[in-house]
Amino acid sequence: WPSLLFECDQPLTFSAERVLNGAAWVFVGPMNEFSPEFAAAFAVTNLDDLPASARRVAIPASANQTDIFALTASQHFYAVDGGFCTYEITRATPRPALGGKRQLIAAPDALLADTADWTTFYPQPDGDVHLVLDFGKETIGYFEFDLDAPAGTILDGSGFEGIDDGGIFWTMNTRNSFRYVCREGRQVFRSHERRGFRYLSLTLRDFARPVRIRHISNYMATYPVAQVGHFACSDETLTKIWEVGAYTVRLCMLDTYVDCPTYEQVYWVGDARNSALVNAVAFGAYDLTDRCVRLTGQSLSPELKRVKPPYLEELRTHLPTSHVVSGWFDEIPMWNFLWVWQAWEAYMAAGDRAALADYYVDVRESLVRAEGFLSARDLFDIPEVWNLVDWAAQDLERDGEVISNTVLMAQALDCAALMAEELGKPEEVAAHRGLAARLRAAVNLYGWSDEYQGYVDTVRDETGYATFKTRREAAGIPIEPYVEYLKKIRISEPTNTLALLCNSVPPERVDAVMRLVLAAKQGKFIGSSPWMARFGKTEEIVPVGSPWFLFFTLEALFQAGHSDDALQLLREQWNRMLEKGATTFWETFPGHIGGGHWSRSLCHGWSAAPAYFLSAKVLGVTPAAPGYSRVRIAPQPWNLRWARGTVPTPRGPVSVAWQLDEDGKLQIEYQAPEGCEVEVAV
């Protein structure tokens, strides 16, 4: 929502009466963001110049509300003798000192515990009282406070995640702020809004007598799970990385998997695939994964026409939406294909054959729809979607023959073939595998660059340009010259990593592609977005941009037998966050957003890859048959002396402990539930 903060010495009012009666503000819309009407409305500098056809809605002055976040984040903070402030805050954002000894606060530690003791705050003649509470680590839930205050006392609260090189990193554009107005006397209040945070900024305003606070607490609220899974090893850093990864995903498990506890709190379909793999080794909450797989399939329902924007309905049929349940119909093809992978992985973990039959109905439908977007040369090309792969400056516009989407679809077809085989549908098995082979052949025929020895992000040649021109002409968009069109060609680490992971690289090209995959070991990640691709050059390899994509880098390395490289990468890069005090793993690596801040979201389930790989690869426990009816134990010791841990299964926990003896031989002990067949590979 729009927020404007004014600080004035005189009364301030707003009026749009000359446009609509009773209006302080005018809302214009909704409009199709791709329409000329939208462009015209966006360009006006005067209300009188709004397009005549645009719908107008009057917003009265009574709708104006104080924006507590804007008020809190912009207020001036001072340090006083009698108060105190942590070094982490004053180092980055020094607070001017006010002279004179003051009685500001008594017994500050009392409010940190649910005891009979009280913290007392004293009113000040020239300002409000501000405090910051550190809950010790990232969490999610509902604030509760028990206090005694005079009537009319205001508590302005704002939850935020981090204090970093830029100072307090206020959590913007969320519902993470609140205002509580006190009644007289003692009162207990628990907030109604679930919030993700580590710190609470609390400003006390308008109190004439001391305010006493007995305690401020948080009622943590996540999907109800027990941490059945565990991991520990001879490297304390790796042990800590596993714990933080598992905890990160726990905070991203609500009624669905969500991207993060603080910002959207939304079930992004692609993020959920990676979170589900971590859940499987840490918590074993298979029912949550089942719910999410089913919800995504339901987004294919024709009933969505009731809420789908008409222009999109006219444009094309839809794939599963990028996040569910949602009224925003911007699809991410990669998310669709990862959901297919997730459906098969959910069956391997839980072994629910009836659920698999349900999943397959939706999976098959989604792949039929996807097939309709193959170009004449068997490359995936869907108009008007968000072709996101990573926070990287890849050549990924809203259409075009995208190589990463094509190889992801090929791998999704392989998963569909496994489902069909399990369900006894041999003709569909052959159809899925046949189409996957066609896609991989097309990728190698059209997507490979001999000049740059790698796969391009989007195929740009005369055939692609013809389609590009046709679409731009139909939309009335200016058409760039062919030479400019070719300048957009980019070679990226993410696209080439996916090509390798999705079994699309022939033997003679593996070394060249592996060079691009292993480049991630250098740790030179540049967080960006496809919008920034215009500033790059074809000869500059686009690097990985986020911990999210390193999940696939690690998968590709383990799959190709480069386990040592994978584990070195894992330890070095996730430890970068631990070294800065991370209690959960971040959406991006340090430095992505600038301004001295390390990342936007400091808790993102898509960044929790190590928890999965340490359990599945180092401890070595994976399902070798659906539902862990057969368990495979195949440790990869790297340079560790020992490791031990537990992986939950539907049949009960599997515990493994291994160590290297003095002769360098691997000694393994394990316990598995009755009825589990166990295979051990050393």
Side-chain angles (χ1 to χ4, degrees):
W1 54 89
S3 175
L4 300 171
L5 184 67
F6 295 88
E7 293 183 289
C8 307
D9 295 327
Q10 300 296 325
L12 178 67
T13 59
F14 297 91
S15 174
E17 288 278 355
R18 62 190 175 85
V19 180
L20 287 174
N21 290 333
W25 303 85
V26 175
F27 172 80
V28 181
M31 290 179 281
N32 173 1
E33 64 182 301
F34 302 108
S35 69
E37 179 189 50
F38 178 81
F42 207 78
V44 303
T45 57
N46 190 297
L47 291 178
D48 299 320
D49 298 331
L50 288 170
S53 60
R55 176 172 172 260
R56 296 165 170 77
V57 178
I59 300 176
S62 59
N64 289 336
Q65 297 185 35
T66 301
D67 186 323
I68 305 305
F69 163 77
L71 182 63
T72 299
S74 65
Q75 65 192 14
H76 301 288
F77 298 98
Y78 296 91
V80 298
D81 190 4
F84 59 91
C85 191
T86 67
Y87 171 74
E88 287 78 6
I89 295 177
T90 57
R91 168 182 54 84
T93 51
R95 300 187 171 196
L98 293 179
K101 181 73 175 179
R102 294 179 180 234
Q103 186 182 31
L104 185 73
I105 185 172
D109 292 341
L111 59 76
L112 301 177
D114 189 3
T115 66
D117 298 326
W118 293 76
T119 296
T120 303
F121 296 90
Y122 297 95
Q124 303 299 307
D126 51 355
D128 304 315
V129 176
H130 178 246
L131 65 149
V132 174
L133 278 73
D134 182 357
F135 283 75
K137 62 181 180 180
E138 181 91 13
T139 187
I140 183 173
Y142 302 89
F143 290 120
E144 181 177 279
F145 38 87
D146 180 350
L147 74 159
D148 177 84
T153 300
I154 292 174
L155 272 63
D156 282 345
S158 185
F160 62 93
E161 293 185 305
I163 301 171
D164 56 23
D165 295 337
I168 291 178
F169 187 22
W170 298 106
T171 304
M172 296 183 288
N173 302 324
T174 68
R175 299 181 185 273
N176 249 33
S177 298
F178 62 85
R179 167 164 285 188
Y180 177 78
V181 181
C182 298
R183 62 173 173 77
E184 180 64 37
R186 185 174 179 181
Q187 52 216 283
V188 177
F189 177 76
R190 186 183 302 175
S191 63
H192 305 302
E193 189 83 30
R194 177 162 47 190
R195 297 175 171 90
F197 61 95
R198 173 175 171 174
Y199 301 92
L200 172 63
S201 160
L202 196 64
T203 305
L204 285 69
R205 312 185 194 276
D206 298 349
F207 58 109
R209 67 167 173 83
V211 171
R212 298 191 308 148
I213 301 180
R214 192 177 69 82
H215 77 104
I216 299 176
S217 60
N218 171 61
Y219 279 77
M220 187 172 175
T222 66
Y223 194 76
V225 292
Q227 187 173 304
V228 179
H230 298 279
F231 175 86
C233 68
S234 56
D235 185 329
E236 292 183 5
T237 297
L238 287 180
T239 300
K240 180 67 173 178
I241 287 173
W242 189 95
E243 292 170 351
V244 172
Y247 183 66
T248 298
V249 168
R250 182 185 174 190
L251 297 189
C252 296
M253 294 167 63
L254 304 183
D255 61 321
T256 63
Y257 296 109
V258 297
D259 57 332
C260 52
T262 302
Y263 288 87
E264 294 96 314
Q265 298 183 21
V266 163
Y267 169 36
W268 286 93
V269 172
D271 303 34
R273 181 262 174 170
N274 294 1
S275 291
L277 289 173
V278 175
N279 167 27
V281 299
F283 309 109
Y286 310 113
D287 48 351
L288 183 63
T289 300
D290 173 75
R291 167 172 165 76
C292 290
V293 173
R294 292 178 185 275
L295 275 176
T296 306
Q298 290 168 20
S299 78
L300 293 166
S301 169
E303 291 298 308
L304 264 70
K305 292 181 180 179
R306 296 171 181 262
V307 293
K308 190 176 180 181
Y311 74 93
L312 278 181
E313 185 61 35
E314 295 165 4
L315 179 66
R316 56 175 173 77
T317 186
H318 65 270
L319 299 177
T321 49
S322 58
H323 54 282
V324 182
V325 176
S326 174
W328 177 31
F329 284 86
D330 206 3
E331 299 149 40
I332 303 176
M334 183 181 187
W335 275 213
N336 172 34
F337 302 130
L338 291 179
W339 163 68
V340 177
W341 300 13
Q342 182 188 6
W344 173 249
E345 291 159 351
Y347 173 63
M348 286 298 293
D352 188 335
R353 188 180 177 84
L356 179 69
D358 292 342
Y359 301 164
Y360 183 67
V361 172
D362 294 328
V363 163
R364 180 176 52 191
E365 172 63 22
S366 77
L367 292 174
V368 167
R369 295 187 186 189
E371 187 177 357
F373 297 113
L374 295 180
S375 68
R377 45 188 183 176
D378 284 335
L379 295 170
F380 190 81
D381 179 3
I382 181 172
E384 287 306 332
V385 291
W386 184 9
N387 283 312
L388 180 69
V389 172
D390 185 18
W391 289 134
Q394 296 173 262
D395 174 25
L396 299 172
E397 297 187 344
R398 291 189 68 85
D399 58 5
E401 293 172 316
V402 175
I403 293 300
S404 55
N405 287 340
T406 307
V407 298
L408 286 160
M409 180 176 174
Q411 192 73 4
L413 286 161
D414 287 351
C415 292
L418 292 171
M419 296 181 200
E421 191 170 44
E422 192 76 8
L423 295 169
K425 301 176 183 291
E427 292 182 359
E428 295 184 23
V429 172
H432 293 319
R433 289 179 175 159
L435 181 54
R438 282 169 43 195
L439 299 186
R440 291 184 171 110
V443 163
N444 281 284
L445 184 59
Y446 302 108
W448 178 258
S449 169
D450 281 326
E451 180 180 2
Y452 296 105
Q453 289 295 290
Y455 294 96
V456 300
D457 291 334
T458 298
V459 177
R460 293 188 179 275
D461 54 17
E462 291 183 356
T463 302
Y465 187 63
T467 303
F468 171 83
K469 286 203 305 181
T470 300
R471 287 176 175 164
R472 296 306 184 271
E473 288 169 353
I477 300 174
I479 301 170
E480 61 197 10
Y482 183 55
V483 65
E484 297 299 322
Y485 174 82
L486 291 180
K487 287 181 180 179
K488 294 181 177 181
I489 294 174
R490 299 288 179 270
I491 311 292
S492 71
E493 293 172 19
T495 290
N496 284 271
T497 299
L498 289 175
L500 185 67
L501 175 62
C502 296
N503 303 297
S504 299
V505 182
E508 65 273 15
R509 291 175 178 169
V510 167
D511 288 345
V513 171
M514 183 59 74
R515 168 181 59 88
L516 298 173
V517 179
L518 288 171
K521 288 180 61 181
Q522 300 172 16
K524 296 179 180 178
F525 309 115
I526 300 178
S528 187
S529 74
W531 185 85
M532 299 295 288
R534 69 190 73 183
F535 301 112
K537 298 178 181 178
T538 304
E539 61 271 20
E540 298 171 347
I541 302 300
V542 179
V544 167
S546 69
W548 146 258
F549 194 84
L550 285 187
F551 200 111
F552 306 101
T553 302
L554 294 172
E555 273 188 292
L557 290 174
F558 279 116
Q559 180 176 286
H562 286 251
S563 59
D564 287 0
D565 292 313
L567 290 165
Q568 179 186 341
L569 175 66
L570 183 156
R571 189 189 189 283
E572 290 179 356
Q573 300 311 322
W574 271 269
N575 191 41
R576 291 173 61 188
M577 291 182 265
L578 293 187
E579 288 175 341
K580 291 188 176 292
T583 62
T584 49
F585 289 133
W586 310 339
E587 180 178 11
T588 55
F589 284 111
H592 171 64
I593 63 171
H597 295 305
W598 298 332
S599 178
R600 182 193 70 135
S601 165
L602 297 186
C603 180
H604 237 67
W606 79 356
S607 297
Y612 170 70
F613 289 108
L614 291 172
S615 292
K617 301 301 182 182
V618 174
L619 196 63
V621 180
T622 54
Y628 288 87
S629 58
R630 187 165 72 253
V631 178
R632 179 174 173 82
I633 301 175
Q636 300 189 41
W638 190 36
N639 59 9
L640 303 175
R641 299 188 308 276
W642 59 266
R644 60 177 177 265
T646 301
V647 172
T649 82
R651 300 165 183 268
V654 173
S655 297
V656 174
W658 62 255
Q659 64 180 358
L660 291 172
D661 64 19
E662 293 180 356
D663 298 325
K665 293 182 179 179
L666 191 65
Q667 306 293 331
I668 303 175
E669 296 180 2
Y670 68 85
Q671 290 183 328
E674 282 191 34
C676 278
E677 183 181 340
V678 178
E679 60 182 57
V680 179
V682 179

